[in-house]
Amino acid sequence: MTNSKYFIKQLSIFSENKSGKLAAIAKIFHESQVNIHAFSIAEANSFGVVRAIVDKPDVAFAAFSKENYALQYTDVLGVKMADVPGGLFEVASTLGNIGINIEYAYAFRTGEFGTLIVKVSNSEEAVDKILAAGLELVPATDYNF
Amino acid sequence: MAYYNEKIETLPKLELEKLQYQELKVLVDRLYANSAFYHDRMKAAGVLPSDIKSISDITKLPFMRKTDLRDNYPDKLVCCSKEDLVRYHVSSGTTGKPTVVAYTKNDLDTWSEAVARSLVSCGLGRGDVLQVAYGYGLFTGGLGLHYGGEKLGATVIPASTGNSERQIELIQDLQTTAIACTPSYFVHLIDVAKKIGVDIAKDTKLRTAILGAEPWSESMRRYIHEQSGVTAHNIFGTSEISGPMFTDCQELNGMHISGDIAYTEIIDPETGESLPAGEKGELTMTILTKEAIPMIRYRIGDITSIFPGDCPCGRTSPRIDRLQGRVDDMLVIRGINVFPSAVEHALLRVPELTSHFMLEVFRNGPLDDMLVKVELKPDAMTDSINGLIGLQSRVERTLRDTLNVSAKVELCPPNSLPRFEGKAKRVIDTRVF
C-alpha cells in the first residue's frame, strides 16, 4: 500500500497525427493553468499518444474531457538519476539486472538530479525491487498536487 | 464462329417475344403454385397468373429488391427442392447481412450458356486461352467466367486475383489470348508488365479483355487499347441474376442481354413506370428460366438505358449502355459492392467506437483504396500504443470479414468527425473512371 505514494499520475491523451494538434493540446493546459513537468509524444500509424506529468492532473483531465478528448490516467514511476555521465547507465543496468522490463520511458531534469519516468507492467512489485536495489524513487507528491 | 447459339441469338423479335412469354408463363404458374413468397406478393399486387397474356403483361407483376433477399436470408426464397441445389454464392448485403444466391444444375447451365454466347460475341472460340483473373470463391466473377469459358471450349486458366507478376508470366508462358478481370486491375497489369520489361502488344498474344464488376469509361477503353493493343469488352451481371453474363459484341456498342434468358426493363426509379428505349432509368431484370431463386422484375439499382435500334452484329437481343451510376449509395471497390450501411453495421460491433464514421474512396495508381475514419469513444482510451494499433487492426479485420474487401482504418479522436443534420454524407469518393 505504501508503494502507491511513488505512483505518479501521468495523463495519456489521444491525438491525431496532424499539424497544429500539439498546439491545441498545449492551449488547454495553458488555459486551465496546469503546469507541465515532463512530456513525450509517441506516434503510431495515423495517431499519437501525448504523455504528460503535470502539477494538477485532475484539473487537466476535466479540461480535456470537456473538449471531447480521449484520455486516461496511467501510473508511472520516477527513478532518480545522477546528472553526470553514466547516470542513465547506472539506473538502466540496475533495472535490467533486477529483471524490470521498461514498456516506455522518458527523462527530464529538475534541480540537481535527473528523473527517468518509466512505465512498467507491475508498479507495486517494481517499487519493492527498485528500492531494494538501492535506487531512489521520486514521491508522486513532488509532481502531482 | 460468329455466334454460339445462332438460332436463338438471331431470333426475329416477334418470335423472341413469343418465347419470352412462354417462359414467363411457365415461371409465374410455378411460383404462384409453389412459393409462398411469390404467391403472397402477387396476391398483394392483385395479379393472377391468368392475367399474364403476353410478355408486356410482365409490368403487372410486382418488383423485387435486394432487401427481399436480405429479409429472406439465407434460403427462404429457394423455390426448388434443397437436394436440387448444386451451388451457393454469397455477396455482401446492405446491412452487413450477406445475400445468398443458390443455383440448380440448370441455373448453372443457363449462366454458362450466357457467358459462352458473350465470349463468342467478343470474338473468342475454341483454341483461345482465357485467363480468369477475377476472384474465385463466394464472389461470382471467377467461377462465372470459368464455366462459361469451358462451355465454349476455350482453354481456361483459373488464375484468380493478385500476384501480378505471376499473371504476366502466365500470359506469356501459356500464350493467353483473353483475360477477364476488373478494368482497374487490367490497367494495373499493364503497368506491372511495363515495369518488368514486357510489352503486352509485342511480347504476348493477349488481344481481348473482358472487364467488369466496376464502373469504367470509353476513355479507359481507348487508353487500354493504346497502352496494350488489347480490345476491352464490358461485361455486366450481378450475383442476384446469377453473376457476370452479358458483354458488348465486337461492335463495342452496348451489352447484349440475351432475350431468352433475361427480360430487361428500364424503369423510372421514382414512379416504377417503364421507360422507352433511349431513356435513362433503373435497370430491372427478370431471369426467365431461373429455378432455384427466380428473380422477377429485380431492381438492380444501376442506372442505364436500352439502345434503340438493331445491332449490326445480327443479334436481336436488346443492348444496354454502360452503367451510369446508382439509384442508391452502393459503392464498387475493387469490383466488390460495398454499401455504406454495411460499414456502419460492422462498426457497431466494435464497442470502443462511436457510431460516427467517414468513408473515403480514392485511386491509388489504377487501383481503388478505401479509408474508413472511425471515432474512439473517450472511455476506450488506453495508454498502450499496441492496444490502439490492435484496435485499429481489429476494426480492419471486422470490415474485411463483413465487406469482403479490405479497407484501411484511421482512428480519430472523439467528436472529431462531421455530424449531420438530415441525410448523412459519409462517403467521399474522389475516383475518376
Side-chain angles (χ1 to χ4, degrees), chain B residues 8 17 47 65 94 115 154 197 201 253 260 279 337 370 373 412 432:
Chain B
I8 211 94
E17 282 177 16
V47 53
R65 290 179 170 79
T94 50
V115 175
N253 195 22
D260 58 315
E279 277 190 44
N337 297 344
M370 176 164 69
K373 291 186 172 173
C412 298
V432 178

Side-chain angles (χ1 to χ4, degrees), chain B residues 238-304:
Chain B
T238 79
S239 62
E240 296 86 351
I241 66 163
S242 284
M245 285 180 134
F246 306 116
T247 64
D248 37 27
C249 65
Q250 288 179 295
E251 300 293 327
L252 298 179
N253 195 22
M255 294 172 278
H256 285 275
I257 312 294
S258 293
D260 58 315
I261 294 173
Y263 185 81
T264 311
E265 294 171 85
I266 301 293
I267 61 157
D268 180 331
E270 301 292 325
T271 63
E273 296 283 321
S274 285
L275 297 173
E279 277 190 44
K280 262 192 221 172
E282 182 177 359
L283 179 60
T284 300
M285 275 193 186
T286 301
I287 304 300
L288 292 163
T289 58
K290 216 154 176 270
E291 293 179 339
I293 302 184
M295 299 306 287
I296 291 187
R297 302 194 81 202
Y298 178 62
R299 295 178 63 155
I300 294 173
D302 291 310
I303 296 171
T304 185

Side-chain angles (χ1 to χ4, degrees), chain A residues 10 12-14 16 18 42 44-47 49 51 68-72 74 104 119, chain B residues 373 376-379 381-385 388-389 392 409-416:
Chain A
Q10 173 196 256
S12 306
I13 307 163
F14 185 87
E16 281 168 290
K18 279 182 191 153
N45 302 352
S46 57
F47 60 87
V49 175
R51 297 176 173 129
N68 293 304
Y69 276 80
L71 75 167
Q72 197 203 27
T74 314
Y104 58 81
K119 168 76 173 73
Chain B
K373 291 186 172 173
L376 191 66
K377 271 188 194 160
D379 58 10
M381 175 59 186
T382 162
D383 175 53
S384 159
I385 299 276
L388 292 167
I389 292 175
Q392 211 169 11
V409 165
E410 188 176 311
L411 281 184
C412 298
N415 216 44
S416 63

Side-chain angles (χ1 to χ4, degrees), chain B residues 110-123:
Chain B
T110 307
W111 182 12
S112 303
E113 164 93 18
V115 175
R117 288 184 200 172
S118 291
L119 293 175
V120 171
S121 81
C122 298

Side-chain angles (χ1 to χ4, degrees), chain B residues 124-162:
Chain B
L124 269 60
R126 285 170 57 84
D128 269 294
V129 179
L130 172 66
Q131 186 160 325
V132 179
Y134 275 122
Y136 278 66
L138 293 176
F139 173 62
T140 51
L143 290 174
L145 267 300
H146 183 104
Y147 280 83
E150 285 189 353
K151 189 171 182 93
L152 163 63
T155 313
V156 176
I157 307 171
S160 198
T161 50

Side-chain angles (χ1 to χ4, degrees), chain B residues 154-397:
Chain B
T155 313
V156 176
I157 307 171
S160 198
T161 50
N163 207 342
S164 306
E165 293 194 16
R166 185 83 197 280
Q167 300 270 3
I168 311 281
E169 193 178 299
L170 291 170
I171 290 170
Q172 287 193 290
D173 295 352
L174 301 178
Q175 307 198 348
T176 299
T177 58
I179 189 166
C181 59
T182 62
S184 56
Y185 189 63
F186 189 63
V187 171
H188 175 68
L189 278 184
I190 294 174
D191 290 348
V192 173
K194 272 186 201 152
K195 235 175 254 168
I196 58 174
V198 175
D199 180 338
I200 290 180
K202 290 201 190 102
D203 304 332
T204 76
K205 291 206 155 66
L206 187 63
R207 296 297 171 261
T208 309
I210 319 285
L211 309 179
E214 64 185 23
W216 58 300
S217 60
E218 281 305 311
S219 57
M220 196 184 268
R221 171 133 65 195
R222 279 195 300 275
Y223 174 84
I224 286 169
H225 196 259
E226 283 160 17
Q227 296 293 314
S228 66
V230 167
T231 301
H233 290 262
N234 202 357
I235 184 162
F236 170 78
T238 79
S239 62
E240 296 86 351
I241 66 163
S242 284
M245 285 180 134
F246 306 116
T247 64
D248 37 27
C249 65
Q250 288 179 295
E251 300 293 327
L252 298 179
N253 195 22
M255 294 172 278
H256 285 275
I257 312 294
S258 293
D260 58 315
I261 294 173
Y263 185 81
T264 311
E265 294 171 85
I266 301 293
I267 61 157
D268 180 331
E270 301 292 325
T271 63
E273 296 283 321
S274 285
L275 297 173
E279 277 190 44
K280 262 192 221 172
E282 182 177 359
L283 179 60
T284 300
M285 275 193 186
T286 301
I287 304 300
L288 292 163
T289 58
K290 216 154 176 270
E291 293 179 339
I293 302 184
M295 299 306 287
I296 291 187
R297 302 194 81 202
Y298 178 62
R299 295 178 63 155
I300 294 173
D302 291 310
I303 296 171
T304 185
S305 58
I306 295 178
F307 279 116
D310 299 325
C311 185
C313 79
R315 289 176 182 80
T316 49
S317 50
R319 290 165 297 151
I320 58 166
D321 198 356
R322 283 182 179 284
L323 308 181
Q324 318 270 311
R326 295 279 308 172
V327 297
D328 55 21
D329 56 0
M330 189 185 88
L331 296 160
V332 184
I333 315 282
R334 267 170 271 140
I336 304 292
N337 297 344
V338 173
F339 289 92
S341 51
V343 173
E344 181 165 23
H345 198 82
L347 294 177
L348 284 174
R349 301 214 311 259
V350 184
E352 290 93 337
L353 303 178
T354 73
S355 62
H356 300 276
F357 70 98
M358 287 297 288
L359 211 168
E360 294 179 8
V361 192
F362 48 93
R363 280 265 150 104
N364 187 358
L367 299 176
D368 296 335
D369 252 339
M370 176 164 69
L371 174 71
V372 182
K373 291 186 172 173
V374 298
E375 250 184 38
L376 191 66
K377 271 188 194 160
D379 58 10
M381 175 59 186
T382 162
D383 175 53
S384 159
I385 299 276
N386 285 337
L388 292 167
I389 292 175
L391 170 62
Q392 211 169 11
S393 333
R394 184 147 46 87
V395 179
E396 281 173 358
R397 240 181 357 256

